[in-house]
Amino acid sequence: MDVLNKISKKYSFIIILPDTMTYFRGNQYVNSTAVGNYSDFITKDLIKFLFKIYGKRDVYLFGKSSGGFGSIYNALHNPDIFSGFIDISGDSYFHYSYLRDFPVAYKILKNLGIKKFMEKFNSDYIHSQDELTAENIIAMSAFYSPKNTEINLPFDLNDGGLNEHWNAWLKFDPVNIIDTSGISLKNKKIILQTGIYDEYSINIGMNMIHEKLSMLNISHTYKEYPVGHFNTNHLYLESMPEILKDY
């Protein structure tokens, strides 16, 4: 709240923080047959509701980590709705940011499977880092590679090797989406922020997005900071005023 209080002294704005918690904890803000159509919830239901209350106005998305991913993903797919976005170390270049966690998740899940693991996870009060990693991969799979209500992992539980569902994940990678839909961000306010010590190497993906936007001549702000992936709320002290400066 301190961040918002400092900014609100100069600017007038409305910030909406919808509850998007899921059974699997994580949310990537895309449509999923296994978890729910969260992209539709934001771009259709929520926006319509807000416009009804406050009137139609410019709307920006912002978030960090999964929230940053949701911001750029939904802005790319709904340029008619959003005027821009702030992406702080949003999941990107999945080859680096996710692959490193697959062997850990495989080790945890190979003897339990998703259902039994989640039952145990929800009944335990304390979790190991490996268990948290496995739970996160399940949450990501629920959004990236579902089939009806079934969740498909991007690796085989028999031998641990990547399977065809990994290809489904890659279709959500902003680094790849920029190649086909990046031009939709023309004339949008775009702010990309990342830490050069990101524990998931997401800074590499963020820099790739920056380079691709530059190649497309799409105006944006890109900043790197001497921080990691966590405890980065203070970065909004720069990006929020930048988004709001023309209002």
Side-chain angles (χ1 to χ4, degrees), residues 13-26:
F13 55 90
I14 299 170
I15 289 182
I16 307 299
L17 301 174
D19 182 357
T20 56
M21 181 60 68
T22 71
Y23 173 75
F24 300 103
R25 290 7 181 238

Side-chain angles (χ1 to χ4, degrees), residues 1-2 7 19-20 22 24 29 39 59 68 79 84 91 100 128 145 168 178 181 188 224 230 239:
M1 287 302 296
D2 287 343
I7 297 173
D19 182 357
T20 56
T22 71
F24 300 103
Y29 309 97
S39 180
V59 179
D91 300 7
R100 50 177 269 161
S128 69
S145 51
I178 290 287
S181 303
K188 305 295 182 183
E224 296 179 341
F230 305 98
S239 50

Side-chain angles (χ1 to χ4, degrees), residues 7-227:
I7 297 173
S8 63
K9 290 179 181 179
K10 184 175 182 181
Y11 304 99
S12 176
F13 55 90
I14 299 170
I15 289 182
I16 307 299
L17 301 174
D19 182 357
T20 56
M21 181 60 68
T22 71
Y23 173 75
F24 300 103
R25 290 7 181 238
N27 196 320
Q28 295 305 99
Y29 309 97
V30 303
N31 289 336
S32 165
T33 55
V35 189
N37 292 336
Y38 280 91
S39 180
D40 283 352
F41 165 67
I42 293 170
T43 60
K44 297 179 181 179
D45 300 336
L46 184 58
I47 294 298
K48 182 179 180 180
F49 176 72
L50 295 176
F51 282 177
K52 183 177 181 180
I53 295 177
Y54 301 110
K56 193 169 184 179
R57 58 182 65 209
D58 290 342
V59 179
Y60 296 86
L61 294 168
F62 71 93
K64 56 181 183 171
S65 194
S66 289
F69 166 84
S71 296
I72 187 171
Y73 177 89
N74 283 288
L76 277 162
H77 289 84
N78 301 276
D80 56 322
I81 297 177
F82 301 109
S83 298
F85 62 90
I86 300 171
D87 177 356
I88 300 179
S89 297
D91 300 7
S92 53
Y93 202 54
F94 292 0
H95 291 83
Y96 286 176
S97 58
Y98 288 136
L99 276 176
R100 50 177 269 161
D101 287 339
F102 289 0
V104 176
Y106 167 67
K107 178 182 68 176
I108 296 292
L109 297 174
K110 64 179 180 179
N111 295 322
L112 290 174
I114 294 175
K115 184 177 180 180
K116 289 184 178 179
F117 169 80
M118 287 304 304
E119 290 174 351
K120 181 179 182 302
F121 187 91
N122 288 327
S123 65
D124 291 342
Y125 290 103
I126 300 175
H127 307 102
S128 69
Q129 184 57 53
D130 285 357
E131 289 173 329
L132 292 171
T133 296
E135 193 274 338
N136 182 64
I137 294 302
I138 293 173
M140 300 301 99
S141 299
F143 282 96
Y144 295 149
S145 51
K147 183 177 181 181
N148 298 322
T149 58
E150 180 183 354
I151 296 172
N152 298 303
L153 295 169
F155 51 82
D156 195 302
L157 285 181
N158 292 317
D159 59 18
L162 294 175
N163 58 30
E164 69 275 13
H165 302 301
W166 171 238
N167 294 325
W169 281 47
L170 294 178
K171 293 179 181 178
F172 287 95
D173 192 335
V175 169
N176 297 329
I177 298 175
I178 290 287
D179 290 333
T180 56
S181 303
I183 198 64
S184 67
L185 297 178
K186 200 79 171 179
N187 301 319
K188 305 295 182 183
K189 286 187 181 180
I190 303 170
I191 299 178
L192 308 174
Q193 297 170 287
T194 191
I196 59 175
Y197 304 120
D198 191 280
E199 290 84 348
Y200 304 98
S201 301
I202 289 176
N203 55 300
I204 296 177
M206 294 292 288
N207 183 63
M208 293 175 72
I209 293 171
H210 157 60
E211 293 292 344
K212 291 192 174 194
L213 290 176
S214 298
M215 289 289 292
L216 292 171
N217 293 316
I218 294 178
S219 177
H220 65 284
T221 299
Y222 174 68
K223 291 188 177 182
E224 296 179 341
Y225 304 82
V227 298

